[in-house]
Amino acid sequence: MLSRRTKIILATLVVASLTFVILDLRGGDGPFSSARAAVSSILGGVQRGAATVFSPVTGFSEWWGTQVDQSGQIRALTDSNELLSTQLIESENDIARANELDALLRVASVGRYRVVPAEVIAVGPAQDFSWTVTIDAGTLDGVEEDMTVINGDGLVGRVLKVYNSTATVVLLVDPESSVGGRVAGSQEIGIVSGTGRQNSLQFQLLDPLGKVNAGDAIVTFGSKDGRPFAPGLPIGEVVDVSGTAGALARVATVSPYADVSQLSVVGVVVRPPREDPRDSVLPSAPAAAPAGGPTRAPAAPQTTDPAPGATSKPEVVQEDETAATPAPAEPGN
Amino acid sequence: MIYRQGIVIGTCIFIAVVVELTLLSRLGIPGATPDLVVVTVVAIALAMGPLQGASAGFAAGILMDLSPPSDTLVGVNAIIYLIIGFIAGYWVDPRDRTLIIIMGITSLSTGGAAFATAAVDTLLGGSRVNWAEVPWITLSAALYGLLLTPIVVPVVGWLVKKVTPEMSLS
């Protein structure tokens, strides 16, 4: 039934894909890093454009509601009304985005992180079981591999791969992601790992006798030189603890502060703070800035430029002393 | 003529990949992401035949594997989509092509693709797949494939007939 030529082509394609799998399985940078970079440089631009076009749809679920109303209006109203309603959506869009940037600024200024803002432009399909997104900032903006990614609510993930104008971020709920965490207000440390579900993380205490209770907040412990994770960033809140004190495996279920299913504006921490901000960034307790927090830190003259390359994005920096005190009008997230 | 076929296949695949990654995966729909790419591959296979279906599947899989933010092994989606494209083009009798049967084929394909991705990833030693979620992901992928069919298949079929009239099978 199949011609000889068809069979040869099919066999070639099958062998080619199997070869790719085997080559990529060897790990490391492999032969595909340049291929990925090439595809990214083409698709990154297209994705950026498409994300702009689709932004009213993807950004806000309320949009569906307004759209249903509008479909009736559009028939009835004049051209000027159409123009006005479009402007309304755009400004709502802008206000929501500005609010997200404000929240990001608060986290960045309270914790004295230096942050490059970016927008999520593509998301990996759920069938891959990997939680990765593309953001529209890359090496040209000073982003490097293994930098921390945050939003106004807390930790989002870390930069996995970086290209010229885009970067791939692996989210903290990815099953292969793990972060050093600390129970806020105590010295209990442990490992926060993703479960693959968007609203739950696992927190495994290193000390089996350590105290952790439902309602406790978890912040990042911080890595060496702030990479891949800057210290003091809010991760989530403990909702459930399993295992009794002293048991070998004490695991707490943590609900992340950042809603990874509705990410829009995020920030890449291009420089961690000089001092661990401890618990001062947590959203629920703005008055609980402990001694040793950033209030005590001197307004350090920060002269080094973290991004020697051309920075096409303005960096969000708050250097003055007032920024170190937690924002007073901040009841929560 | 083969150039025109290549252009049709390439355009459809490219648009499907971009729309899936920038629009469909960001809608926050519960369960799987609506698999526009697999539906497009099946549509091409139904309109053009097994060889074109398999080639389209291979190209789409490689593009999905390489395009950001993918962090999966390169080649996994390629071989899965290739097999789906071939089967859809080879075993489906052109005379059977009522909308109901086509919807069944695409939903089997999208569900099968989701399940096969999970299975292959686990077989190759990946630790990401949470098997408790796989049945739900597979079922929702099949459902979304079903819903995408009446939109995608006629459009691709029309495009194929228009650009490469020699390919029309029926």
Side-chain angles (χ1 to χ4, degrees):
Chain A
M1 181 101 174
L2 291 174
S3 74
R4 187 181 163 77
R5 176 172 154 273
T6 308
K7 280 181 188 161
I8 291 175
I9 295 177
L10 283 175
T12 315
L13 293 180
V14 170
V15 170
S17 20
L18 288 180
T19 315
F20 290 164
V21 173
I22 291 163
L23 283 176
D24 205 25
L25 260 181
R26 289 170 63 208
D29 263 1
F32 292 107
S33 54
S34 51
R36 278 185 200 271
V39 173
S40 155
S41 63
I42 301 164
L43 267 178
V46 178
Q47 284 181 344
R48 192 184 289 235
T52 316
V53 174
F54 295 143
S55 66
V57 192
T58 52
F60 308 97
S61 45
E62 304 98 280
W63 186 84
W64 293 111
T66 54
Q67 188 63 14
V68 172
D69 295 343
Q70 276 176 10
S71 65
Q73 284 177 359
I74 284 166
R75 266 180 250 113
L77 295 178
T78 59
D79 285 353
S80 64
N81 274 348
E82 275 183 35
L83 186 69
L84 279 173
S85 53
T86 335
Q87 281 174 349
L88 187 69
I89 292 179
E90 277 171 8
S91 68
E92 274 175 6
N93 220 327
D94 290 344
I95 289 168
R97 202 158 296 184
N99 287 340
E100 286 186 52
L101 263 175
D102 273 352
L104 181 63
L105 258 173
R106 190 192 73 84
V107 170
S109 64
V110 172
R112 300 187 146 250
Y113 305 96
R114 187 175 277 222
V115 164
V116 168
E119 202 160 344
V120 172
I121 54 173
V123 178
Q127 287 91 315
D128 281 356
F129 290 93
S130 62
W131 287 81
T132 48
V133 300
T134 310
I135 57 171
D136 65 346
T139 42
L140 292 179
D141 308 300
V143 175
E144 290 166 27
E145 268 180 29
D146 274 346
M147 279 179 167
T148 317
V149 181
I150 61 175
N151 74 355
D153 298 325
L155 182 69
V156 168
R158 69 182 168 88
V159 176
L160 184 70
K161 299 190 188 94
V162 62
Y163 309 104
N164 277 343
S165 59
T166 59
T168 297
V169 174
V170 58
L171 306 178
L172 78 164
V173 297
D174 187 279
E176 287 182 357
S177 149
S178 58
V179 189
R182 180 172 60 78
V183 180
S186 79
Q187 291 297 330
E188 296 300 339
I189 57 170
I191 294 163
V192 180
S193 41
T195 59
R197 287 190 301 277
Q198 66 183 52
N199 50 10
S200 96
L201 303 166
Q202 275 197 342
F203 179 63
Q204 187 156 22
L205 279 173
L206 289 186
D207 176 6
L209 292 170
K211 282 202 180 84
V212 59
N213 300 309
D216 282 353
I218 308 289
V219 299
T220 52
F221 183 64
S223 323
K224 186 173 184 288
D225 297 330
R227 286 205 200 172
F229 293 107
L233 286 163
I235 297 177
E237 192 180 299
V238 176
V239 289
D240 186 35
V241 183
S242 63
T244 50
L248 267 180
R250 290 204 72 203
V251 175
T253 308
V254 174
S255 161
Y257 288 127
D259 181 3
V260 294
S261 63
Q262 290 294 328
L263 287 177
S264 152
V265 175
V266 297
V268 183
V269 178
V270 292
R271 194 171 59 192
R274 291 167 151 244
E275 275 188 40
D276 186 347
R278 308 296 298 169
D279 303 339
S280 59
V281 194
L282 282 173
S284 49
T295 41
R296 213 179 56 180
Q302 294 173 323
T303 48
T304 48
D305 188 359
T311 49
S312 61
K313 279 174 189 297
E315 289 190 348
V316 180
V317 200
Q318 288 280 349
E319 305 272 70
D320 55 329
E321 194 61 30
T322 52
T325 51
E330 200 63 49
N333 43 349
Chain B
M1 295 310 111
I2 193 153
Y3 302 110
R4 281 209 215 152
Q5 293 176 26
I7 289 169
V8 171
I9 293 176
T11 314
C12 292
I13 294 301
F14 189 79
I15 293 172
V17 169
V18 169
V19 170
E20 176 165 338
L21 291 180
T22 54
L23 177 66
L24 296 179
S25 62
R26 298 192 64 193
L27 289 176
I29 294 172
T33 301
D35 211 336
L36 180 63
V37 175
V38 168
V39 177
T40 310
V41 167
V42 172
I44 290 171
L46 290 178
M48 293 176 133
L51 179 61
Q52 285 79 359
S55 314
F58 177 78
I62 290 289
L63 198 58
M64 280 295 275
D65 285 331
L66 287 178
S67 67
S70 156
D71 186 37
T72 50
L73 288 170
V74 177
V76 171
N77 277 328
I79 191 132
I80 293 170
Y81 294 179
L82 190 162
I83 293 168
I84 287 175
F86 177 74
I87 292 177
Y90 188 70
W91 266 305
V92 181
D93 193 317
R95 286 165 299 183
D96 284 348
R97 288 179 187 170
T98 60
L99 185 62
I100 303 291
I101 290 178
I102 293 179
M103 283 167 90
I105 295 161
T106 48
S107 94
L108 272 180
S109 304
T110 48
F115 185 81
T117 312
V120 172
D121 196 62
T122 307
L123 283 178
L124 292 176
S127 57
R128 268 182 171 140
V129 179
N130 175 3
W131 277 93
E133 301 256 305
V134 170
W136 161 233
I137 292 278
T138 307
L139 276 179
S140 53
L143 176 69
Y144 298 142
L146 196 77
L147 297 178
L148 281 174
T149 308
I151 311 162
V152 178
V153 174
V155 171
V156 173
W158 175 84
L159 198 68
V160 167
K161 214 173 255 179
K162 200 87 184 165
V163 182
T164 59
E166 77 278 4
M167 285 305 301
S168 58
L169 294 172
S170 46

